[in-house]
Short mmCIF file of all heavy atoms in Angstrom, two decimals:
data_model
loop_
_atom_site.label_atom_id
_atom_site.label_comp_id
_atom_site.label_asym_id
_atom_site.label_seq_id
_atom_site.Cartn_x
_atom_site.Cartn_y
_atom_site.Cartn_z
N PRO A 360 7.04 -3.79 13.74
CA PRO A 360 6.85 -5.25 13.71
C PRO A 360 5.88 -5.76 14.76
O PRO A 360 5.10 -6.68 14.51
CB PRO A 360 8.28 -5.82 13.91
CG PRO A 360 9.18 -4.76 13.39
CD PRO A 360 8.48 -3.45 13.74
N GLU A 361 5.86 -5.15 15.93
CA GLU A 361 4.97 -5.57 17.02
C GLU A 361 3.52 -5.19 16.74
O GLU A 361 2.62 -5.72 17.39
CB GLU A 361 5.43 -4.96 18.35
CG GLU A 361 6.72 -5.52 18.87
CD GLU A 361 7.94 -4.81 18.28
OE1 GLU A 361 7.79 -3.78 17.59
OE2 GLU A 361 9.07 -5.33 18.49
N ALA A 362 3.27 -4.25 15.83
CA ALA A 362 1.92 -3.76 15.57
C ALA A 362 1.38 -4.18 14.23
O ALA A 362 0.30 -3.74 13.81
CB ALA A 362 1.91 -2.22 15.70
N GLN A 363 2.11 -5.03 13.50
CA GLN A 363 1.67 -5.44 12.16
C GLN A 363 0.44 -6.32 12.24
O GLN A 363 0.18 -6.96 13.25
CB GLN A 363 2.82 -6.12 11.40
CG GLN A 363 3.87 -5.15 11.01
CD GLN A 363 5.01 -5.75 10.24
OE1 GLN A 363 4.95 -6.88 9.77
NE2 GLN A 363 6.10 -4.99 10.09
N ALA A 364 -0.33 -6.34 11.13
CA ALA A 364 -1.55 -7.12 10.96
C ALA A 364 -2.70 -6.58 11.82
O ALA A 364 -3.66 -7.28 12.09
CB ALA A 364 -1.32 -8.61 11.28
N GLY A 365 -2.60 -5.30 12.21
CA GLY A 365 -3.67 -4.69 12.96
C GLY A 365 -4.38 -3.58 12.23
O GLY A 365 -5.18 -2.84 12.82
N GLY A 366 -4.11 -3.42 10.94
CA GLY A 366 -4.84 -2.42 10.14
C GLY A 366 -4.13 -1.09 9.96
O GLY A 366 -4.61 -0.22 9.25
N ILE A 367 -2.98 -0.92 10.58
CA ILE A 367 -2.26 0.33 10.49
C ILE A 367 -1.78 0.61 9.07
O ILE A 367 -1.92 1.73 8.53
CB ILE A 367 -1.06 0.39 11.48
CG1 ILE A 367 -1.60 0.36 12.92
CG2 ILE A 367 -0.18 1.61 11.24
CD1 ILE A 367 -0.52 0.20 13.98
N GLY A 368 -1.24 -0.40 8.42
CA GLY A 368 -0.81 -0.23 7.01
C GLY A 368 -1.97 0.16 6.10
O GLY A 368 -1.82 1.03 5.25
N ARG A 369 -3.13 -0.50 6.29
CA ARG A 369 -4.30 -0.15 5.49
C ARG A 369 -4.71 1.29 5.73
O ARG A 369 -5.11 2.00 4.80
CB ARG A 369 -5.46 -1.09 5.83
CG ARG A 369 -5.36 -2.45 5.16
CD ARG A 369 -6.63 -3.27 5.31
NE ARG A 369 -7.05 -3.48 6.70
CZ ARG A 369 -6.57 -4.44 7.50
NH1 ARG A 369 -5.67 -5.28 7.03
NH2 ARG A 369 -6.99 -4.57 8.73
N GLN A 370 -4.66 1.72 6.96
CA GLN A 370 -5.05 3.12 7.29
C GLN A 370 -4.09 4.12 6.66
O GLN A 370 -4.50 5.16 6.13
CB GLN A 370 -5.16 3.30 8.80
CG GLN A 370 -6.37 2.56 9.37
CD GLN A 370 -6.39 2.49 10.86
OE1 GLN A 370 -5.37 2.32 11.51
NE2 GLN A 370 -7.57 2.60 11.44
N LEU A 371 -2.80 3.82 6.72
CA LEU A 371 -1.80 4.72 6.08
C LEU A 371 -1.98 4.73 4.59
O LEU A 371 -1.89 5.76 3.93
CB LEU A 371 -0.38 4.29 6.46
CG LEU A 371 0.09 4.70 7.84
CD1 LEU A 371 1.36 3.96 8.24
CD2 LEU A 371 0.33 6.20 7.92
N LEU A 372 -2.26 3.60 3.98
CA LEU A 372 -2.50 3.49 2.53
C LEU A 372 -3.73 4.32 2.17
O LEU A 372 -3.72 5.07 1.17
CB LEU A 372 -2.66 2.04 2.13
CG LEU A 372 -2.65 1.73 0.65
CD1 LEU A 372 -1.33 2.10 0.01
CD2 LEU A 372 -2.92 0.25 0.41
N ALA A 373 -4.81 4.21 2.93
CA ALA A 373 -6.01 5.00 2.67
C ALA A 373 -5.74 6.50 2.82
O ALA A 373 -6.21 7.31 1.98
CB ALA A 373 -7.13 4.59 3.64
N ALA A 374 -4.94 6.88 3.81
CA ALA A 374 -4.58 8.31 3.96
C ALA A 374 -3.77 8.79 2.78
O ALA A 374 -3.97 9.92 2.28
CB ALA A 374 -3.80 8.52 5.26
N ALA A 375 -2.88 7.96 2.24
CA ALA A 375 -2.08 8.34 1.07
C ALA A 375 -2.98 8.49 -0.14
O ALA A 375 -2.84 9.44 -0.91
CB ALA A 375 -1.04 7.23 0.80
N GLU A 376 -3.94 7.60 -0.32
CA GLU A 376 -4.87 7.67 -1.45
C GLU A 376 -5.75 8.90 -1.33
O GLU A 376 -6.01 9.58 -2.32
CB GLU A 376 -5.70 6.41 -1.56
CG GLU A 376 -4.86 5.19 -1.96
CD GLU A 376 -5.58 3.88 -1.84
OE1 GLU A 376 -6.76 3.84 -1.48
OE2 GLU A 376 -4.92 2.81 -2.11
N ASP A 377 -6.19 9.23 -0.12
CA ASP A 377 -6.98 10.45 0.09
C ASP A 377 -6.18 11.68 -0.29
O ASP A 377 -6.70 12.62 -0.91
CB ASP A 377 -7.45 10.57 1.56
CG ASP A 377 -8.54 9.52 1.91
OD1 ASP A 377 -9.10 8.92 0.97
OD2 ASP A 377 -8.77 9.34 3.11
N LEU A 378 -4.90 11.70 0.10
CA LEU A 378 -4.03 12.84 -0.25
C LEU A 378 -3.88 12.93 -1.78
O LEU A 378 -3.92 14.03 -2.32
CB LEU A 378 -2.67 12.69 0.41
CG LEU A 378 -1.67 13.82 0.18
CD1 LEU A 378 -2.15 15.11 0.82
CD2 LEU A 378 -0.31 13.45 0.71
N ALA A 379 -3.70 11.79 -2.43
CA ALA A 379 -3.55 11.80 -3.90
C ALA A 379 -4.79 12.35 -4.54
O ALA A 379 -4.72 13.12 -5.51
CB ALA A 379 -3.26 10.37 -4.38
N ILE A 380 -5.95 11.97 -4.06
CA ILE A 380 -7.21 12.49 -4.59
C ILE A 380 -7.30 14.01 -4.37
O ILE A 380 -7.66 14.76 -5.28
CB ILE A 380 -8.42 11.75 -3.99
CG1 ILE A 380 -8.44 10.31 -4.52
CG2 ILE A 380 -9.71 12.46 -4.31
CD1 ILE A 380 -9.38 9.37 -3.75
N ALA A 381 -6.93 14.46 -3.18
CA ALA A 381 -6.97 15.89 -2.87
C ALA A 381 -6.02 16.71 -3.76
O ALA A 381 -6.30 17.82 -4.13
CB ALA A 381 -6.62 16.12 -1.39
N LYS A 382 -4.90 16.06 -4.15
CA LYS A 382 -3.94 16.70 -5.06
C LYS A 382 -4.28 16.48 -6.53
O LYS A 382 -3.52 16.85 -7.38
CB LYS A 382 -2.53 16.17 -4.78
CG LYS A 382 -1.96 16.60 -3.41
CD LYS A 382 -0.58 15.98 -3.23
CE LYS A 382 0.12 16.54 -2.00
NZ LYS A 382 0.73 17.81 -2.25
N LYS A 383 -5.45 15.86 -6.79
CA LYS A 383 -5.93 15.60 -8.15
C LYS A 383 -4.94 14.72 -8.94
O LYS A 383 -4.75 14.96 -10.14
CB LYS A 383 -6.25 16.87 -8.86
CG LYS A 383 -7.31 17.69 -8.12
CD LYS A 383 -7.81 18.86 -8.90
CE LYS A 383 -8.87 19.72 -8.25
NZ LYS A 383 -9.52 19.30 -7.07
N CYS A 384 -4.34 13.75 -8.30
CA CYS A 384 -3.40 12.85 -8.96
C CYS A 384 -4.17 11.84 -9.78
O CYS A 384 -5.32 11.47 -9.48
CB CYS A 384 -2.54 12.13 -7.93
SG CYS A 384 -1.38 13.25 -7.12
N ARG A 385 -3.54 11.33 -10.82
CA ARG A 385 -4.11 10.31 -11.70
C ARG A 385 -4.09 8.96 -11.01
O ARG A 385 -5.00 8.13 -11.15
CB ARG A 385 -3.28 10.22 -13.00
CG ARG A 385 -3.70 9.13 -13.95
CD ARG A 385 -2.64 8.90 -15.05
NE ARG A 385 -1.43 8.31 -14.46
CZ ARG A 385 -1.24 6.98 -14.27
NH1 ARG A 385 -2.19 6.14 -14.58
NH2 ARG A 385 -0.12 6.54 -13.76
N ALA A 386 -2.97 8.65 -10.27
CA ALA A 386 -2.78 7.33 -9.67
C ALA A 386 -1.79 7.44 -8.52
O ALA A 386 -1.04 8.40 -8.39
CB ALA A 386 -2.23 6.37 -10.73
N VAL A 387 -1.80 6.41 -7.70
CA VAL A 387 -0.75 6.19 -6.72
C VAL A 387 0.16 5.10 -7.28
O VAL A 387 -0.34 4.06 -7.75
CB VAL A 387 -1.32 5.73 -5.33
CG1 VAL A 387 -0.19 5.40 -4.37
CG2 VAL A 387 -2.23 6.79 -4.76
N THR A 388 1.46 5.35 -7.34
CA THR A 388 2.40 4.41 -7.89
C THR A 388 3.41 3.97 -6.83
O THR A 388 3.60 4.66 -5.81
CB THR A 388 3.17 5.01 -9.09
OG1 THR A 388 3.96 6.11 -8.61
CG2 THR A 388 2.24 5.46 -10.17
N MET A 389 4.03 2.84 -7.03
CA MET A 389 5.04 2.35 -6.11
C MET A 389 5.92 1.31 -6.80
O MET A 389 5.57 0.84 -7.87
CB MET A 389 4.39 1.71 -4.90
CG MET A 389 3.66 0.41 -5.22
SD MET A 389 2.85 -0.32 -3.79
CE MET A 389 1.49 0.77 -3.56
N THR A 390 7.05 1.03 -6.17
CA THR A 390 7.88 -0.08 -6.62
C THR A 390 7.97 -1.08 -5.47
O THR A 390 8.04 -0.68 -4.32
CB THR A 390 9.29 0.40 -7.01
OG1 THR A 390 9.89 1.12 -5.93
CG2 THR A 390 9.25 1.32 -8.23
N VAL A 391 7.93 -2.36 -5.83
CA VAL A 391 8.02 -3.44 -4.83
C VAL A 391 9.05 -4.48 -5.33
O VAL A 391 9.04 -4.82 -6.52
CB VAL A 391 6.65 -4.14 -4.65
CG1 VAL A 391 6.72 -5.23 -3.56
CG2 VAL A 391 5.56 -3.11 -4.29
N ILE A 392 9.90 -4.89 -4.42
CA ILE A 392 10.91 -5.92 -4.81
C ILE A 392 10.16 -7.16 -5.32
O ILE A 392 9.21 -7.65 -4.69
CB ILE A 392 11.79 -6.28 -3.60
CG1 ILE A 392 12.64 -5.04 -3.22
CG2 ILE A 392 12.71 -7.46 -3.90
CD1 ILE A 392 13.44 -5.23 -1.91
N THR A 393 10.58 -7.65 -6.49
CA THR A 393 9.86 -8.76 -7.15
C THR A 393 9.71 -9.99 -6.28
O THR A 393 8.72 -10.72 -6.41
CB THR A 393 10.54 -9.13 -8.49
OG1 THR A 393 11.91 -9.46 -8.20
CG2 THR A 393 10.47 -8.02 -9.48
N GLN A 394 10.68 -10.26 -5.40
CA GLN A 394 10.61 -11.48 -4.55
C GLN A 394 9.62 -11.32 -3.39
O GLN A 394 9.36 -12.29 -2.70
CB GLN A 394 12.02 -11.75 -3.95
CG GLN A 394 13.00 -12.31 -4.95
CD GLN A 394 13.79 -11.24 -5.71
OE1 GLN A 394 13.37 -10.07 -5.80
NE2 GLN A 394 14.91 -11.62 -6.27
N ARG A 395 9.05 -10.16 -3.18
CA ARG A 395 8.14 -9.92 -2.08
C ARG A 395 6.70 -10.30 -2.45
O ARG A 395 5.80 -9.48 -2.45
CB ARG A 395 8.19 -8.43 -1.63
CG ARG A 395 9.57 -7.92 -1.25
CD ARG A 395 10.06 -8.37 0.10
NE ARG A 395 9.08 -8.30 1.14
CZ ARG A 395 8.75 -7.21 1.83
NH1 ARG A 395 9.39 -6.08 1.63
NH2 ARG A 395 7.84 -7.25 2.77
N HIS A 396 6.49 -11.59 -2.77
CA HIS A 396 5.21 -12.05 -3.26
C HIS A 396 4.05 -11.76 -2.31
O HIS A 396 2.97 -11.38 -2.76
CB HIS A 396 5.29 -13.58 -3.57
CG HIS A 396 6.39 -13.92 -4.51
ND1 HIS A 396 6.38 -13.56 -5.85
CD2 HIS A 396 7.57 -14.56 -4.33
CE1 HIS A 396 7.49 -13.96 -6.43
NE2 HIS A 396 8.23 -14.56 -5.52
N GLU A 397 4.26 -11.95 -1.01
CA GLU A 397 3.17 -11.71 -0.05
C GLU A 397 2.80 -10.24 0.00
O GLU A 397 1.65 -9.88 0.15
CB GLU A 397 3.55 -12.24 1.35
CG GLU A 397 4.56 -11.39 2.11
CD GLU A 397 6.00 -11.40 1.58
OE1 GLU A 397 6.39 -12.31 0.79
OE2 GLU A 397 6.77 -10.49 1.94
N LEU A 398 3.79 -9.35 -0.16
CA LEU A 398 3.52 -7.92 -0.16
C LEU A 398 2.82 -7.50 -1.44
O LEU A 398 1.87 -6.71 -1.43
CB LEU A 398 4.83 -7.11 0.03
CG LEU A 398 4.68 -5.61 0.22
CD1 LEU A 398 3.79 -5.31 1.41
CD2 LEU A 398 6.06 -5.05 0.40
N ILE A 399 3.26 -8.01 -2.59
CA ILE A 399 2.60 -7.73 -3.84
C ILE A 399 1.14 -8.18 -3.77
O ILE A 399 0.21 -7.42 -4.17
CB ILE A 399 3.33 -8.45 -5.00
CG1 ILE A 399 4.71 -7.77 -5.21
CG2 ILE A 399 2.52 -8.39 -6.30
CD1 ILE A 399 5.68 -8.55 -6.09
N ALA A 400 0.87 -9.33 -3.22
CA ALA A 400 -0.51 -9.84 -3.08
C ALA A 400 -1.32 -8.92 -2.17
O ALA A 400 -2.50 -8.65 -2.42
CB ALA A 400 -0.50 -11.26 -2.54
N TRP A 401 -0.69 -8.39 -1.09
CA TRP A 401 -1.39 -7.46 -0.17
C TRP A 401 -1.82 -6.22 -0.93
O TRP A 401 -2.98 -5.78 -0.79
CB TRP A 401 -0.45 -7.13 0.99
CG TRP A 401 -1.08 -6.34 2.11
CD1 TRP A 401 -1.76 -6.83 3.16
CD2 TRP A 401 -1.04 -4.91 2.26
NE1 TRP A 401 -2.19 -5.80 3.97
CE2 TRP A 401 -1.76 -4.61 3.48
CE3 TRP A 401 -0.50 -3.86 1.53
CZ2 TRP A 401 -1.94 -3.31 3.90
CZ3 TRP A 401 -0.70 -2.56 1.97
CH2 TRP A 401 -1.38 -2.30 3.16
N TYR A 402 -0.93 -5.65 -1.74
CA TYR A 402 -1.29 -4.47 -2.52
C TYR A 402 -2.34 -4.79 -3.57
O TYR A 402 -3.23 -3.99 -3.80
CB TYR A 402 -0.04 -3.86 -3.18
CG TYR A 402 0.79 -3.05 -2.21
CD1 TYR A 402 2.11 -3.44 -1.95
CD2 TYR A 402 0.30 -1.90 -1.59
CE1 TYR A 402 2.89 -2.70 -1.08
CE2 TYR A 402 1.08 -1.20 -0.66
CZ TYR A 402 2.38 -1.59 -0.44
OH TYR A 402 3.15 -0.86 0.45
N GLU A 403 -2.25 -5.95 -4.20
CA GLU A 403 -3.23 -6.33 -5.20
C GLU A 403 -4.64 -6.42 -4.57
O GLU A 403 -5.63 -6.01 -5.20
CB GLU A 403 -2.84 -7.67 -5.85
CG GLU A 403 -1.70 -7.50 -6.81
CD GLU A 403 -1.23 -8.83 -7.39
OE1 GLU A 403 -1.47 -9.92 -6.81
OE2 GLU A 403 -0.52 -8.78 -8.42
N ARG A 404 -4.71 -6.92 -3.34
CA ARG A 404 -6.03 -7.01 -2.68
C ARG A 404 -6.58 -5.59 -2.40
O ARG A 404 -7.77 -5.46 -2.15
CB ARG A 404 -5.91 -7.81 -1.36
CG ARG A 404 -5.69 -9.27 -1.58
CD ARG A 404 -5.84 -10.09 -0.32
NE ARG A 404 -4.96 -9.75 0.77
CZ ARG A 404 -3.70 -10.24 0.92
NH1 ARG A 404 -3.22 -11.09 0.04
NH2 ARG A 404 -2.95 -9.86 1.93
N ARG A 405 -5.76 -4.60 -2.46
CA ARG A 405 -6.20 -3.21 -2.21
C ARG A 405 -6.28 -2.41 -3.51
O ARG A 405 -6.34 -1.20 -3.51
CB ARG A 405 -5.24 -2.56 -1.23
CG ARG A 405 -5.62 -2.97 0.19
CD ARG A 405 -4.46 -3.18 1.14
NE ARG A 405 -4.93 -3.90 2.30
CZ ARG A 405 -4.99 -5.22 2.39
NH1 ARG A 405 -4.56 -5.99 1.41
NH2 ARG A 405 -5.42 -5.80 3.49
#
């Protein structure tokens, strides 16, 4: 919580996507609680 909004989440997401590409995956999938509108929007921007 003290380190949020500093790009760490974006860097972890990019590392996950790089791993998926290295594993020749079709897509990265996830589930998000429907009420988490701000989080859904964050993922949509990515």
Side-chain angles (χ1 to χ4, degrees):
E361 292 83 10
Q363 288 181 13
I367 295 171
R369 281 190 302 277
Q370 290 169 322
L371 282 165
L372 191 62
E376 291 169 3
D377 289 345
L378 181 66
I380 291 167
K382 291 178 172 278
K383 301 188 180 350
C384 292
R385 177 194 69 85
V387 175
T388 64
M389 67 181 73
T390 56
V391 182
I392 295 173
T393 56
Q394 287 88 340
R395 303 284 316 277
H396 304 291
E397 74 291 340
L398 187 57
I399 292 167
W401 187 86
Y402 283 119
E403 287 174 340
R404 289 191 300 274
R405 280 143 194 89

